[in-house]
Amino acid sequence: MVAATDKPVVAILTIDDELQLFRGNRKNFADLIQTGQQLGITTYVVTVKNLKLNSARVLGYTYLPADEAWIETSLPRPNIVYNRIPQREDERLPHVKRKLEAIARHPSIHLFNRRFFNKWSLFRWLKMSTPTKNNIPETRKLTQLSVLALLLKKHRLLYLKPVRGKAGVGIMTVKVQPEKHLPYRLQIQEEKGSTTYHCTSLQRLWEKVRKLSSANGEPYIAQQGITLATVNNRPFDLRALVQKNELGKWEMTGLGARVAGSTSITTHVPRGGYIDEPERLLLSNFGQEKTNIVLSKVRISAIAFAKQIERSAKTELCEMSMDLGIDTTGHLWFFEANSKPMKFDEPHIRSKSLERIFQYSLYVHRRRMHSQGGAAR
Ligand SMILES: Nc1ncnc2c1ncn2[C@@H]1O[C@H](COP(=O)(O)OP(=O)(O)O)[C@@H](O)[C@H]1O
Ligand SMILES: [Mg+2]
């Protein structure tokens, strides 16, 4: 049994908003506060502006489910700050950067989710480690024509992705069809729908890619395209949620699957994709025995990816979600990891994911109290 004073105060950090007090997924925040309360842990939302690191009390927001209302109130300064600033652009603002640095340096505050990941760094990091490198598609920075030429010699399908991309916007695929009059087929996914171009030569393809990617304003990576396993002709991929548990060890909280929309090049649900059961999808492709092997490989690899990402990021992490592909032969591929996982809609994963954040918070808090000889603040 843990005494009340042994419990941390957890603040969910987000950015201020002039009209609606703060930004971010309010349903997620309300669920977090409720889970914290059930475990007897004071939990509230705090904005970058209101988190004053030198005062004992700060202005935060709690949620009253009965009134469906957010209440502004004075609360004790947190021991744990759970960063849920929703947008990359916000995290790049100088005053936000400074605040995050100050929180990370603060002697009695532990910061969860220091920053967003960048796709290029993830691939560099995972390529460096033996247990993960065989599951990483060949990836290069898309800086010049020769990069496309080199990759297209080896792979007939490429994915081109903005390094700080999200929800599939700006992702392109290049398919080589040598037998065709216009052998390079380029497809780009936009905010709404997608557009396809056919190019006569590599030079033309490069010009088009350059134009489209610069419109996006982000550097791109070019990646070996994986021929994903399918169900009813639609590719699917797996979403793993990996979090630290009550012992401070990485564990896979849950595994979901996303099946692509009929015309989409990605599996995102807002693009016509839908949620399904990983085991069911794998069984229809591989049968029971191989499905078991694939699932255990996923579990082991997800932990190996998380460990290697944490080691390379040089900061203690608490959770991440991962997009993983299974190709038609049953081989596992890593596509990306997100440092601020979106809500999983599968109810069993959702409830466990909320609890784990607090179980790990308790672990971190106890560890700190222990190392400070019992003084939490
Ligand atoms: N190299 C690839 N081969 C095959 N499919 C891919 C590849 N890269 C991405 N995809 C598909 O596109 C989806 C989105 O890619 P991802 O890297 O997760 O970008 P985003 O940040 O936009 O979610 C993946 O979940 C997967 O379905
Ligand atoms: Mg993704």
Side-chain angles (χ1 to χ4, degrees), residues 154-193:
K154 296 204 234 167
H155 312 287
R156 288 179 63 157
L157 174 66
L158 298 185
Y159 269 72
L160 315 181
K161 308 194 268 191
V163 291
R164 286 180 279 263
K166 187 175 137 194
V169 178
I171 292 188
M172 301 183 235
T173 54
V174 176
K175 214 178 219 162
V176 188
Q177 302 163 303
E179 66 289 353
K180 298 227 165 133
H181 167 57
L182 299 168
Y184 299 98
R185 180 179 183 275
L186 174 69
Q187 192 173 352
I188 178 162
Q189 192 158 268
E190 287 138 343
E191 290 281 351
K192 290 196 172 69

Side-chain angles (χ1 to χ4, degrees), residues 22 127 151 177 234 256 293 298 314 348 351 361-362 368:
F22 57 86
K127 209 63 212 169
L151 286 172
Q177 302 163 303
R234 296 177 180 212
I293 296 171
V298 167
K314 297 194 175 67
H348 63 289
S351 55
S361 299
L362 281 168
R368 187 186 288 275

Side-chain angles (χ1 to χ4, degrees), residues 151-361:
L151 286 172
L152 284 172
K153 263 193 203 137
K154 296 204 234 167
H155 312 287
R156 288 179 63 157
L157 174 66
L158 298 185
Y159 269 72
L160 315 181
K161 308 194 268 191
V163 291
R164 286 180 279 263
K166 187 175 137 194
V169 178
I171 292 188
M172 301 183 235
T173 54
V174 176
K175 214 178 219 162
V176 188
Q177 302 163 303
E179 66 289 353
K180 298 227 165 133
H181 167 57
L182 299 168
Y184 299 98
R185 180 179 183 275
L186 174 69
Q187 192 173 352
I188 178 162
Q189 192 158 268
E190 287 138 343
E191 290 281 351
K192 290 196 172 69
S194 72
T195 314
T196 305
Y197 305 90
H198 296 271
C199 308
T200 46
S201 66
L202 199 56
Q203 182 64 39
R204 282 282 162 80
L205 172 71
W206 172 240
E207 284 160 15
K208 194 80 215 166
V209 165
R210 214 165 49 166
K211 201 158 150 212
L212 292 169
S213 60
S214 62
N216 202 290
E218 280 286 344
Y220 267 66
I221 53 172
Q223 185 168 83
Q224 165 187 5
I226 305 301
T227 309
L228 292 171
T230 59
V231 56
N232 303 327
N233 276 327
R234 296 177 180 212
F236 65 86
D237 59 16
L238 305 179
R239 303 274 150 106
L241 180 63
V242 186
Q243 295 178 294
K244 290 217 181 125
N245 64 15
E246 69 281 6
L247 302 171
K249 298 259 182 283
W250 287 110
E251 201 175 322
M252 193 169 88
T253 306
L255 184 69
R258 303 287 180 270
V259 183
S262 53
T263 58
S264 175
I265 56 177
T266 68
T267 55
H268 299 103
V269 172
R271 300 184 178 279
Y274 65 90
I275 295 177
D276 209 328
E277 256 293 301
E279 184 159 3
R280 209 179 71 83
L281 298 173
L282 293 170
L283 274 175
S284 71
N285 276 265
F286 304 115
Q288 188 70 62
E289 200 177 330
K290 191 155 182 188
T291 292
N292 292 347
I293 296 171
V294 171
L295 285 173
S296 93
K297 172 76 184 161
V298 167
R299 203 158 281 125
I300 292 166
S301 301
I303 304 298
F305 294 139
K307 284 186 175 163
Q308 176 63 8
I309 290 170
E310 180 172 47
R311 198 175 303 135
S312 312
K314 297 194 175 67
T315 153
E316 208 177 351
L317 303 174
C318 87
E319 62 177 355
M320 64 184 82
S321 64
M322 291 170 197
D323 297 343
L324 306 170
I326 305 296
D327 71 18
T328 47
T329 72
H331 189 78
L332 168 75
W333 296 95
F334 173 93
F335 292 141
E336 77 158 340
N338 291 297
S339 64
K340 292 179 190 159
M342 297 233 276
K343 263 170 69 208
F344 273 62
D345 290 324
E346 294 86 340
H348 63 289
I349 304 182
R350 175 69 183 151
S351 55
K352 207 160 152 195
S353 73
L354 289 164
E355 283 162 18
R356 255 207 187 134
I357 290 162
F358 293 97
Q359 288 162 349
Y360 180 58
S361 299

